[in-house]
Amino acid sequence: MKYAAVGPIAVHLPERVETNAQLKAEFPSWDLDLIFEKTGIASRHIAAPGECASDLAVAAAKRLFHDYDIDPRSIDFVLLCTQTPDYPLPTTACLLQSRLDLKTSVGALDFNLGCSGFVYGLSLSDGLIRSGAARRVLLLTAETYSKYIHPGDRSLRTIFGDGAAATLVDAADEPSLWAFQFGTDGTGADTLLVTKGGARPAEDAIKPRHRQRWESALYMDGPSLITFTVAAIPQLVESILAAAKTTDKDVDLYLFHQATLKMLDQLRERLSISRERFPVVLEDVGNTVSSTIPILIDTLRRDGRLKRGMRSMLVGFGVGWSWAGCMWRETWGK
């Protein structure tokens, strides 16, 4: 049996950068110093009006192929995690097969998950490889939440950034991903949602949990999300450690979805994890939804903080409510 191994990662961010200073000039009444203190975000990359998640995914994949000398025809399966697909149909991953010149025998599918999506994608990749259905999986995470955000929405515009990551998941002889754990609670669907664009009529759609203060298509109830996260994620961490038959002292790094600094600080303190073992990388990119963890991994690799053999816990959580985590041993690089 073969096992999934996380290989090289390539990140693509839109050209346009939106800084807090620019927002302050546009909206003088916004207290950007206080907002930065809570979010930890100073700037975000924003997709151009005609630029979609698929465009970001293509750019990330092409960078992966070029920078790491990967033959696109060697890909057996492409997985795309996005909540901003080009169309309701066809499947965006099918369009990527053509745009990336992947072989027509490739498997291709989209899955609609947000902040837990990268961990889900690794689990799906691991299953495909263990079953023998694929040896090389291209896992793409791409999001353009800015399409759902009204320019005057202070609560969302200061947090979410657009971006994509391409992760190569290869077959290996030894397992490096294990102890996958998942959680789902659909009663939290009313805390982070977009109801426009689907088949359900507006009069029958899920209603936001509280009053919708902003005009954005995207609604977010930040306090409820923090309450959910602080309650569910410590239990998830315990479940992963138990499933892995290990303890906290054997975890080198905790690599969590990069939501906001306030949420991450509350989780870190609740779990009694030192800052050195709980890296935060969102100041210059914001919350990029399903791409935050691969961006974090790529940054730590480039900075030399993530070395071969290190054992990390990967944890994603958010919209759905959906949460997922696993243990991961770094096997790529020197």
Side-chain angles (χ1 to χ4, degrees):
M1 181 186 292
K2 294 294 184 179
Y3 305 91
V6 179
I9 294 174
V11 172
H12 177 76
L13 301 170
E15 182 178 350
R16 178 187 163 200
V17 177
E18 184 177 85
T19 67
N20 285 1
Q22 292 170 327
L23 290 179
K24 182 67 174 178
E26 186 176 355
F27 298 98
S29 64
W30 289 11
D31 189 342
L32 270 301
D33 291 335
L34 178 61
I35 290 171
F36 175 72
E37 182 181 328
K38 291 182 177 181
T39 65
I41 299 166
S43 62
R44 297 139 297 273
H45 292 254
I46 305 299
E51 192 174 33
C52 297
S54 67
D55 302 315
L56 304 184
V58 165
K62 287 184 175 180
R63 178 171 295 174
L64 181 77
F65 297 156
H66 176 270
D67 291 355
Y68 300 99
D69 193 24
I70 296 166
D71 179 4
R73 312 288 287 185
S74 70
I75 302 298
D76 301 311
F77 215 104
V78 57
L79 297 171
L80 171 65
C81 178
T82 186
Q83 295 190 312
T84 50
D86 288 28
Y87 311 103
L89 58 94
T91 303
T92 307
C94 293
L95 304 179
L96 295 180
Q97 176 277 328
S98 175
R99 294 179 65 182
L100 294 173
D101 194 28
L102 307 181
K103 58 195 178 188
T104 55
S105 60
V106 73
L109 65 83
D110 297 355
F111 61 105
N112 181 327
L113 276 173
C115 311
S116 62
F118 183 70
V119 177
Y120 263 86
L122 292 180
S123 176
L124 292 170
S125 301
D126 191 44
L128 288 165
I129 291 172
R130 286 184 187 237
S131 71
R135 289 186 58 87
R136 176 165 273 190
V137 179
L138 176 63
L139 172 57
L140 301 171
T141 54
E143 212 60 79
T144 53
Y145 262 33
S146 66
K147 307 292 186 186
Y148 295 142
I149 300 174
H150 187 274
D153 189 334
R154 186 183 63 215
S155 68
L156 298 178
R157 194 173 172 189
T158 53
I159 292 176
F160 291 104
D162 300 331
T167 303
L168 185 70
V169 185
D170 250 330
D173 293 328
E174 299 293 333
S176 59
L177 290 161
W178 71 103
F180 282 99
Q181 299 289 302
F182 305 95
T184 308
D185 182 356
T187 64
D190 60 352
T191 62
L192 186 56
L193 75 161
V194 174
T195 59
K196 299 176 182 177
R200 186 168 296 281
E203 60 270 20
D204 295 333
I206 298 172
K207 300 299 186 290
R209 179 165 292 194
H210 300 296
R211 180 175 64 90
Q212 190 161 359
R213 295 190 300 156
W214 312 97
E215 296 183 42
S216 297
L218 175 65
Y219 166 83
M220 183 177 74
D221 176 359
S224 291
L225 283 165
I226 290 178
T227 299
F228 142 70
T229 302
V230 174
I233 301 310
Q235 295 180 27
L236 174 65
V237 170
E238 291 181 8
S239 297
I240 296 169
L241 292 175
K245 299 180 180 178
T246 190
T247 63
D248 165 73
K249 64 181 178 60
D250 295 318
V251 181
D252 295 306
L253 293 174
Y254 287 87
L255 307 182
F256 277 39
H257 162 57
Q258 305 286 284
T260 65
L261 182 61
K262 179 180 179 180
M263 183 178 287
L264 290 169
D265 275 347
Q266 288 196 25
L267 283 172
R268 184 183 57 77
E269 292 170 4
R270 179 76 174 267
L271 293 164
S272 300
I273 303 171
S274 67
R275 294 183 185 277
E276 292 72 26
R277 298 168 66 209
F278 197 94
V280 175
V281 177
L282 50 64
E283 182 170 343
D284 298 322
V285 293
N287 180 338
T288 53
V289 197
S290 59
S291 289
T292 67
I293 296 178
I295 289 174
L296 175 61
I297 292 173
D298 180 62
T299 302
L300 295 175
R301 281 174 169 176
R302 292 178 182 277
D303 291 346
R305 297 171 60 189
L306 183 57
K307 302 181 184 299
R308 192 180 180 92
M310 292 180 68
R311 294 174 21 135
S312 300
M313 183 183 292
L314 309 181
V315 174
F317 49 87
V319 56
W321 292 322
S322 173
W323 59 103
C326 68
M327 291 298 301
W328 168 56
R329 179 170 54 84
E330 171 71 295
T331 58
W332 187 79
K334 298 180 181 179

